[in-house]
Amino acid sequence: MNHFEKSLIILAAGSLLALGYACSPTEKEKPAKPNIIFIMTDDHAFQTLSAYDDRYINTPNLDRIAEHGAIFTNSFVANSICAPSRAVMLTGKHSHANGQIDNSTSFDGSQQTFPKLLRQNGYQTALIGKWHLKSEPTGFDYWNILPGQGSYYNPDFIGKDGTQQYKGYVTDLITDFSIDWLDQHNQEDPFCLLVHHKAVHRVWMPDTAHLDEFADKTYPLPDNFYDDYEGRKAAAEQHLSIRTEDMDVVYDLKMADQEGDIETRLSNAYRNGAYARLNPEQKAKWDAHFDPIIEDFKKANLSGKNLSEWKYQRYMRDYLACVRSLDNNVGRLMDYLEQEGLLENTLVVYTSDQGFYMGEHGWFDKRFIYEESLRTPLLMHFPKGYSDKGQIPQLVQNIDYAPTFLDMAGIEIPGDMHGRSLVPLFGNNNPENWRDAIYYHYYEFPNEHMVKRHYGIRTHRYKLIHFYYDIDQWELYDLKNDPHEMQNLIDDPEYQDEIKRLKKELKELIIKYNDHKALKIFEGEMEVTE
Ligand code: SGN
Ligand code: CA
């Protein structure tokens, strides 16, 4: 064999090796069009999902999603409120670009969304549960949705054939309907199913089966429960406090006594609303649990800190009992997928429309760019062929979901989407050009809870915020030294260089995403009150 022949053999062997590498067994196994199950809950705080934080509750079924997949440890939303978050996810675009800036408007369903693109590319698409976008869903072969916020007990659902009321508990029903749909979907085509829960939205009505499990538990008060909001005017002027009447002892905490002595701002809304939906059998169990608590509450005649701390414990118990139903039902769905052999070819995503305050700063609700409501849980179970990743620490945002689903389905990602596919973060990859900052813009003011309008930027270390409209205030947080955002450093001389750098980066993001209005406010070309 001469030198040339030897070289040829080496070359051929090399090519074979290269070929083998390109089509490694794992690569070959990846489903070309995996099924997608996108589970989204409402207001589910990452603090109450044990894969993130196990101080309050253990959620084995939710945790299990990430066992063969990934848990995103820096997952954020673009605008921390329901309808806007849903629109961001459907479109892969920030709120100003998809038009859904707050909960009051109706979603423009004629625009491009990921379910439409999947459907055009051979997917069966279905939506079950909370929708909250007012306009009729578009891009789905099947839908069965709650009207508006929906009800916890005996809820109405709207389908293509009209409205029907079902007996039972909403988290169970949404799971039942999802499994029913999976049972009868056609076996030939891939599917994308959106399972969108109402829980854990206010007013946190647990399934009666879980009331007792949490009744005697006591939870540690967050260190900043008695925050005085010094140096933070927007934080001082919100209406989302557990410590004030913002959290209503009857409406939120179920203290509706049989005698009708306890009257509050929202007591009639509870008596005639959420409570009135219980049927006699459910009511009997509900009252058997709550009547003794109400009696003790009346006797104790609490005020001041005692009342605030009692309210916090009551809130935590109901909220966590609702999480228990979520965890059980996600477990039921995962068991079904496993039994049917579907897990292998299915991407399962678990997230919430935003985070929530579990007493931090003394609050419930969301809306602020501060950590507890900016963050949202994000867990994924990968289909076969994608290696397990464990924790993914890069900054990701709900603008990224649509591009991720399209990417995994082999569909070109439209250039006008703001988000990026998360697939490059899976496996052993650590892309160097990943983003180092996220952009945020919240608009719903003046409105319930009175959280002022603001936009801002968050990097791994810092957060810079501009509150505007009836206020013109900047805030800076150094998250490394102050993870609970108690100290506004905007006037601190030591941080002025950092502030300049962050303002420049914020402006670049505003321009990149084309948020015209924010640019004008940023440049001082528009009255902040416009
Ligand atoms: C309702 C709630 C608010 C909540 C908004 C938005 N009030 O209005 O507490 O902030 O929804 O929530 S309630 O009296 O109806 O419970 S969102 O998740 O839908 O955006
Ligand atoms: Ca929500």
Side-chain angles (χ1 to χ4, degrees):
M1 208 188 298
N2 63 32
H3 182 72
F4 178 65
E5 282 168 335
K6 265 190 200 158
S7 311
L8 261 185
I9 286 170
I10 291 167
L11 212 74
S15 321
L16 274 176
L17 265 176
L19 209 70
Y21 180 72
C23 310
S24 69
T26 43
E27 288 278 317
K28 260 198 287 186
E29 284 169 13
K30 269 183 195 163
K33 288 199 181 297
N35 303 313
I36 299 166
I37 297 192
F38 179 26
I39 308 171
M40 183 163 70
T41 49
D42 199 339
D43 295 358
H44 189 190
F46 67 89
Q47 306 92 300
T48 62
L49 203 166
S50 50
Y52 284 96
D53 182 344
D54 59 5
R55 284 175 299 163
Y56 304 118
I57 189 170
N58 190 25
T59 53
N61 294 299
L62 296 174
D63 297 2
R64 164 181 160 201
I65 294 174
E67 252 168 39
H68 298 293
I71 171 165
F72 291 81
T73 53
N74 282 303
S75 154
F76 304 99
V77 296
N79 181 0
S80 182
I81 185 154
C82 186
S85 268
R86 286 159 208 273
V88 165
M89 290 180 205
L90 289 168
T91 61
K93 294 175 184 167
H94 278 280
S95 306
H96 63 275
N98 67 47
Q100 189 79 40
I101 60 165
D102 58 28
N103 273 347
S104 70
T105 50
S106 173
F107 180 64
D108 169 12
S110 69
Q111 65 187 302
Q112 166 187 282
T113 62
F114 81 79
K116 282 187 191 171
L117 293 167
L118 289 176
R119 197 167 176 228
Q120 283 160 18
N121 284 275
Y123 273 75
Q124 309 163 68
T125 55
L127 159 69
I128 294 168
K130 188 171 176 183
W131 172 244
H132 203 196
L133 287 172
K134 294 195 175 158
S135 57
E136 197 167 275
T138 56
F140 297 96
D141 295 302
Y142 174 85
W143 45 268
N144 199 17
I145 57 171
L146 298 168
Q149 296 284 6
S151 304
Y152 274 105
Y153 277 89
N154 312 318
D156 291 337
F157 280 82
I158 311 172
K160 285 186 178 164
D161 300 327
T163 303
Q164 204 182 322
Q165 186 176 8
Y166 294 83
K167 182 175 176 248
Y169 187 67
V170 72
T171 310
D172 297 340
L173 290 168
I174 289 171
T175 309
D176 291 346
F177 298 159
S178 300
I179 292 174
D180 288 349
W181 185 84
L182 288 168
D183 260 339
Q184 41 88 27
H185 79 280
N186 89 46
Q187 304 290 323
E188 289 80 58
D189 302 318
F191 63 80
C192 172
L193 168 64
L194 275 50
V195 183
H196 285 189
H197 284 286
K198 170 188 172 59
V200 202
H201 195 274
R202 196 181 182 192
V203 290
W204 319 295
M205 287 185 89
D207 182 342
T208 50
H210 300 308
L211 285 170
D212 292 338
E213 186 183 335
F214 296 86
D216 299 323
K217 297 226 162 72
T218 305
Y219 300 94
L221 269 191
D223 290 345
N224 59 359
F225 184 73
Y226 289 109
D227 190 354
D228 63 4
Y229 316 118
E230 197 193 325
R232 288 159 290 146
K233 190 169 157 59
E237 293 182 4
Q238 47 56 44
H239 289 188
L240 29 98
S241 177
I242 296 173
R243 292 162 6 211
T244 70
E245 286 178 5
D246 299 342
M247 181 175 270
D248 190 287
V249 293
V250 178
Y251 185 72
D252 290 308
L253 305 176
K254 331 298 185 314
M255 296 298 101
D257 59 335
Q258 304 292 349
E259 302 76 25
D261 294 341
I262 308 180
E263 270 186 55
T264 59
R265 186 169 60 92
L266 296 172
S267 51
N268 284 337
Y270 172 72
R271 287 177 196 277
N272 305 328
Y275 180 71
R277 283 198 84 93
L278 297 164
N279 67 26
E281 192 191 332
Q282 294 158 345
K283 220 170 238 175
K285 289 184 185 159
W286 191 265
D287 292 343
H289 175 80
F290 281 110
D291 283 350
I293 301 174
I294 296 170
E295 205 176 308
D296 288 350
F297 174 67
K298 283 171 83 169
K299 273 196 210 131
N301 199 17
L302 302 169
S303 61
K305 282 192 167 184
N306 291 336
L307 178 61
S308 298
E309 289 172 26
W310 178 91
K311 286 173 80 179
Y312 168 75
Q313 299 298 343
R314 249 317 14 268
Y315 163 53
M316 293 297 281
R317 288 172 192 146
D318 286 353
Y319 184 101
L320 293 170
C322 293
V323 173
R324 173 60 64 233
S325 289
L326 272 180
D327 187 64
N328 287 345
N329 275 289
V330 168
R332 196 151 68 88
L333 183 58
M334 292 296 281
D335 287 345
Y336 172 89
L337 296 175
E338 202 169 350
Q339 280 152 22
E340 297 296 311
L342 282 166
L343 271 182
E344 286 232 301
N345 288 328
T346 305
L347 168 75
V348 183
V349 175
Y350 182 87
T351 190
S352 170
D353 63 343
Q354 10 70 205
F356 215 67
Y357 295 93
M358 303 309 303
E360 300 87 356
H361 303 282
W363 297 340
F364 65 104
D365 212 69
K366 54 261 177 175
R367 299 162 189 266
F368 277 112
I369 191 178
Y370 302 135
E371 288 298 277
E372 291 80 2
S373 45
L374 176 65
R375 285 179 179 274
T376 200
L378 182 61
L379 309 172
M380 289 189 189
H381 160 86
F382 295 155
K384 65 180 175 187
Y386 293 87
S387 29
D388 302 349
K389 176 73 183 201
Q391 297 199 346
I392 296 185
Q394 278 90 351
L395 304 175
V396 306
Q397 207 169 13
N398 52 353
I399 52 173
D400 300 326
Y401 304 170
T404 305
F405 300 154
L406 296 174
D407 192 13
M408 286 184 82
I411 300 166
E412 197 181 328
I413 301 164
D416 62 350
M417 284 191 176
H418 292 157
R420 289 178 63 175
S421 167
L422 300 174
V423 175
L425 304 178
F426 299 176
N428 292 323
N429 310 322
N430 197 1
E432 273 172 23
N433 65 348
W434 195 256
R435 67 170 72 90
D436 54 16
I438 56 148
Y439 179 62
Y440 182 90
H441 196 160
Y442 170 84
Y443 303 78
E444 197 175 275
F445 178 91
N447 205 295
E448 193 182 7
H449 300 305
M450 298 301 272
V451 172
K452 295 184 191 297
R453 297 184 192 193
H454 57 290
Y455 59 93
I457 181 176
R458 187 202 192 277
T459 65
H460 276 286
R461 171 134 185 210
Y462 296 104
K463 192 180 290 177
L464 180 75
I465 318 167
H466 186 202
F467 289 95
Y468 70 95
Y469 193 69
D470 65 335
I471 179 177
D472 182 8
Q473 189 179 43
W474 287 85
E475 294 183 2
L476 173 78
Y477 297 96
D478 181 343
L479 299 168
K480 191 172 163 214
N481 300 328
D482 178 25
H484 303 300
E485 298 159 301
M486 299 294 285
Q487 237 191 318
N488 176 11
L489 299 169
I490 203 71
D491 296 320
D492 190 318
E494 302 237 315
Y495 283 88
Q496 295 312 306
D497 287 346
E498 193 54 51
I499 291 170
K500 257 189 220 137
R501 202 188 57 74
L502 284 164
K503 280 197 176 168
K504 184 169 167 280
E505 205 174 348
L506 171 60
K507 185 175 169 182
E508 282 163 11
L509 281 185
I510 290 174
I511 292 170
K512 176 177 170 191
Y513 295 132
N514 223 345
D515 189 349
H516 293 296
K517 196 174 164 190
L519 185 61
K520 283 192 175 167
I521 295 163
F522 180 89
E523 299 283 35
E525 287 169 11
M526 187 164 155
E527 283 296 309
V528 285
T529 51
E530 273 176 61

